[in-house]
Amino acid sequence: MSENWRDRLSGLWARPEDPAQPITFRAELRSCHPNVAFAATFHFWWQDNDQAAFWRARHNITERADQVTVRYSVTQAGNAENEINTRIANGVRVQLAVSPQARAAAEAILEINRQTALERLKQQAELERIRYLRESIYSHPDVARSYWLYHHPDRPEELLTIDRREAR
Protein backbone atom coordinates (compact mmCIF):
# COMPACT_ATOMS: atom_id res chain seq x y z
CA MET A 1 0.00 0.00 0.00
CA SER A 2 2.83 2.39 0.76
CA GLU A 3 4.23 1.75 -2.71
CA ASN A 4 0.98 2.95 -4.33
CA TRP A 5 1.11 6.05 -2.18
CA ARG A 6 4.65 6.81 -3.32
CA ASP A 7 3.65 6.44 -7.00
CA ARG A 8 0.82 8.91 -6.59
CA LEU A 9 3.00 11.37 -4.72
CA SER A 10 5.81 11.16 -7.25
CA GLY A 11 3.25 11.71 -10.04
CA LEU A 12 2.38 15.06 -8.51
CA TRP A 13 5.97 16.30 -8.73
CA ALA A 14 6.88 14.61 -11.96
CA ARG A 15 7.65 17.01 -14.76
CA PRO A 16 6.32 16.32 -18.20
CA GLU A 17 8.87 14.87 -20.54
CA ASP A 18 8.13 17.43 -23.22
CA PRO A 19 7.35 21.00 -22.15
CA ALA A 20 4.39 22.60 -23.83
CA GLN A 21 5.30 24.86 -26.69
CA PRO A 22 3.36 27.80 -28.07
CA ILE A 23 2.17 27.06 -31.59
CA THR A 24 1.01 29.69 -34.05
CA PHE A 25 -0.27 28.96 -37.53
CA ARG A 26 -2.27 30.74 -40.17
CA ALA A 27 -5.18 29.51 -42.24
CA GLU A 28 -7.77 30.86 -44.62
CA LEU A 29 -11.35 30.40 -43.44
CA ARG A 30 -14.45 30.64 -45.60
CA SER A 31 -17.07 33.34 -45.15
CA CYS A 32 -20.72 33.30 -46.14
CA HIS A 33 -19.77 34.89 -49.48
CA PRO A 34 -18.08 32.74 -52.13
CA ASN A 35 -14.44 33.61 -52.85
CA VAL A 36 -14.24 36.03 -49.89
CA ALA A 37 -12.29 34.64 -46.93
CA PHE A 38 -11.00 35.45 -43.47
CA ALA A 39 -7.28 35.31 -42.71
CA ALA A 40 -7.01 33.50 -39.37
CA THR A 41 -4.09 33.24 -36.98
CA PHE A 42 -4.37 30.44 -34.41
CA HIS A 43 -2.46 30.34 -31.12
CA PHE A 44 -2.35 27.32 -28.82
CA TRP A 45 -0.02 25.24 -26.66
CA TRP A 46 1.18 21.81 -27.79
CA GLN A 47 3.03 19.34 -25.61
CA ASP A 48 3.24 16.12 -27.61
CA ASN A 49 6.02 15.20 -30.05
CA ASP A 50 3.65 13.09 -32.16
CA GLN A 51 3.52 14.93 -35.50
CA ALA A 52 0.49 13.00 -36.73
CA ALA A 53 -1.45 13.98 -33.61
CA PHE A 54 -0.32 17.58 -34.04
CA TRP A 55 -1.56 17.76 -37.65
CA ARG A 56 -4.86 16.09 -36.69
CA ALA A 57 -5.35 18.62 -33.89
CA ARG A 58 -4.49 21.49 -36.22
CA HIS A 59 -6.91 20.16 -38.85
CA ASN A 60 -9.69 19.76 -36.27
CA ILE A 61 -9.18 23.27 -34.93
CA THR A 62 -9.25 24.73 -38.44
CA GLU A 63 -12.37 22.74 -39.38
CA ARG A 64 -14.26 23.83 -36.27
CA ALA A 65 -13.34 27.47 -36.87
CA ASP A 66 -14.34 27.20 -40.54
CA GLN A 67 -17.76 25.84 -39.54
CA VAL A 68 -18.30 29.04 -37.55
CA THR A 69 -16.95 31.57 -40.06
CA VAL A 70 -18.93 30.16 -42.98
CA ARG A 71 -22.03 31.70 -41.36
CA TYR A 72 -20.50 35.20 -41.16
CA SER A 73 -19.65 37.94 -43.62
CA VAL A 74 -16.11 39.31 -43.44
CA THR A 75 -17.70 42.57 -42.33
CA GLN A 76 -18.59 40.72 -39.08
CA ALA A 77 -15.08 39.52 -38.25
CA GLY A 78 -15.31 40.51 -34.58
CA ASN A 79 -18.48 38.49 -34.03
CA ALA A 80 -17.03 35.45 -35.81
CA GLU A 81 -13.81 35.71 -33.78
CA ASN A 82 -15.73 35.88 -30.49
CA GLU A 83 -17.83 32.84 -31.37
CA ILE A 84 -14.80 30.79 -32.39
CA ASN A 85 -12.92 31.69 -29.21
CA THR A 86 -15.99 30.77 -27.17
CA ARG A 87 -16.64 27.45 -28.91
CA ILE A 88 -13.08 26.17 -29.23
CA ALA A 89 -11.70 25.56 -25.77
CA ASN A 90 -8.40 24.07 -24.60
CA GLY A 91 -6.52 27.35 -24.76
CA VAL A 92 -6.95 27.84 -28.49
CA ARG A 93 -7.24 31.49 -29.51
CA VAL A 94 -7.90 32.82 -32.96
CA GLN A 95 -7.47 36.26 -34.46
CA LEU A 96 -9.34 37.02 -37.67
CA ALA A 97 -8.11 39.58 -40.16
CA VAL A 98 -9.79 40.81 -43.31
CA SER A 99 -7.99 42.33 -46.26
CA PRO A 100 -9.31 45.60 -47.68
CA GLN A 101 -10.09 43.78 -50.94
CA ALA A 102 -12.14 41.13 -49.13
CA ARG A 103 -14.02 43.81 -47.18
CA ALA A 104 -14.74 45.78 -50.37
CA ALA A 105 -15.94 42.61 -52.13
CA ALA A 106 -18.24 41.70 -49.22
CA GLU A 107 -19.66 45.20 -49.06
CA ALA A 108 -20.30 45.12 -52.82
CA ILE A 109 -22.05 41.76 -52.48
CA LEU A 110 -24.18 43.09 -49.61
CA GLU A 111 -25.14 46.15 -51.67
CA ILE A 112 -26.10 43.95 -54.62
CA ASN A 113 -28.21 41.81 -52.29
CA ARG A 114 -29.93 44.92 -50.91
CA GLN A 115 -30.64 46.21 -54.41
CA THR A 116 -31.96 42.81 -55.47
CA ALA A 117 -34.26 42.61 -52.45
CA LEU A 118 -35.52 46.14 -53.11
CA GLU A 119 -36.18 45.35 -56.77
CA ARG A 120 -38.01 42.17 -55.77
CA LEU A 121 -40.21 44.16 -53.37
CA LYS A 122 -41.00 46.70 -56.11
CA GLN A 123 -41.95 43.89 -58.49
CA GLN A 124 -44.18 42.27 -55.87
CA ALA A 125 -45.90 45.61 -55.23
CA GLU A 126 -46.45 46.07 -58.96
CA LEU A 127 -47.91 42.57 -59.26
CA GLU A 128 -50.27 43.28 -56.35
CA ARG A 129 -51.32 46.53 -58.03
CA ILE A 130 -51.98 44.74 -61.33
CA ARG A 131 -53.98 42.02 -59.57
CA TYR A 132 -56.05 44.64 -57.79
CA LEU A 133 -56.75 46.50 -61.05
CA ARG A 134 -57.66 43.29 -62.86
CA GLU A 135 -59.91 41.91 -60.12
CA SER A 136 -61.46 45.07 -58.69
CA ILE A 137 -61.35 47.71 -61.40
CA TYR A 138 -61.19 46.29 -64.93
CA SER A 139 -63.56 43.41 -64.24
CA HIS A 140 -66.43 45.92 -63.82
CA PRO A 141 -66.93 48.10 -66.95
CA ASP A 142 -68.56 51.00 -65.09
CA VAL A 143 -65.80 51.13 -62.52
CA ALA A 144 -63.17 50.79 -65.26
CA ARG A 145 -64.61 53.80 -67.14
CA SER A 146 -64.69 55.86 -63.96
CA TYR A 147 -61.14 54.84 -63.17
CA TRP A 148 -60.03 55.87 -66.66
CA LEU A 149 -61.76 59.23 -66.49
CA TYR A 150 -60.39 59.89 -63.01
CA HIS A 151 -56.79 59.18 -64.06
CA HIS A 152 -57.04 60.71 -67.57
CA PRO A 153 -59.44 63.67 -67.33
CA ASP A 154 -57.78 65.36 -70.31
CA ARG A 155 -58.33 62.37 -72.66
CA PRO A 156 -61.97 61.29 -72.49
CA GLU A 157 -62.03 60.54 -76.26
CA GLU A 158 -59.68 57.58 -75.74
CA LEU A 159 -62.34 55.98 -73.58
CA LEU A 160 -64.55 55.75 -76.69
CA THR A 161 -61.82 53.99 -78.69
CA ILE A 162 -61.32 51.51 -75.87
CA ASP A 163 -65.06 50.71 -75.88
CA ARG A 164 -65.04 50.18 -79.67
CA ARG A 165 -62.12 47.75 -79.44
CA GLU A 166 -63.92 45.74 -76.79
CA ALA A 167 -67.08 45.61 -78.92
CA ARG A 168 -65.27 43.96 -81.86
Side-chain angles (χ1 to χ4, degrees):
M1 186 177 244
S2 63
E3 203 172 296
N4 189 14
W5 180 81
R6 274 190 244 140
D7 288 340
R8 286 187 192 171
L9 192 58
S10 66
L12 292 174
W13 283 288
R15 296 194 146 197
E17 294 176 16
D18 300 319
Q21 301 172 15
I23 302 292
T24 299
F25 71 92
R26 291 177 174 33
E28 190 173 273
L29 302 175
R30 298 176 296 163
S31 74
C32 66
H33 304 297
N35 303 319
V36 180
F38 292 97
T41 304
F42 294 90
H43 306 279
F44 68 102
W45 290 85
W46 186 257
Q47 186 170 347
D48 199 353
N49 277 337
D50 183 4
Q51 288 297 314
F54 168 75
W55 287 103
R56 271 193 311 276
R58 181 176 164 165
H59 176 75
N60 290 340
I61 291 167
T62 306
E63 282 294 314
R64 290 179 66 193
D66 191 61
Q67 290 170 358
V68 171
T69 60
V70 77
R71 297 189 322 260
Y72 287 94
S73 169
V74 293
T75 59
Q76 301 168 313
N79 294 342
E81 185 177 304
N82 288 339
E83 185 173 343
I84 292 169
N85 287 329
T86 302
R87 287 179 178 251
I88 300 178
N90 301 332
V92 176
R93 288 288 159 240
V94 66
Q95 293 174 322
L96 295 179
V98 179
S99 70
Q101 296 86 358
R103 184 172 296 282
E107 288 171 355
I109 290 169
L110 291 172
E111 183 58 31
I112 290 168
N113 288 344
R114 278 188 218 104
Q115 292 297 327
T116 302
L118 183 61
E119 187 62 32
R120 195 172 296 130
L121 287 172
K122 286 178 183 177
Q123 290 171 354
Q124 286 175 341
E126 182 66 18
L127 282 174
E128 287 299 317
R129 182 178 163 273
I130 291 170
R131 276 192 200 107
Y132 171 74
L133 289 172
R134 183 186 68 216
E135 294 168 3
S136 300
I137 304 295
Y138 297 140
S139 64
H140 305 289
D142 294 336
V143 176
R145 278 191 286 278
S146 298
Y147 181 83
W148 174 265
L149 288 172
Y150 178 77
H151 287 286
H152 305 86
D154 57 331
R155 300 185 314 202
E157 67 281 350
E158 289 183 28
L159 184 61
L160 298 173
T161 59
I162 292 172
D163 284 341
R164 282 191 211 134
R165 280 188 238 141
E166 288 179 6
R168 290 184 192 170

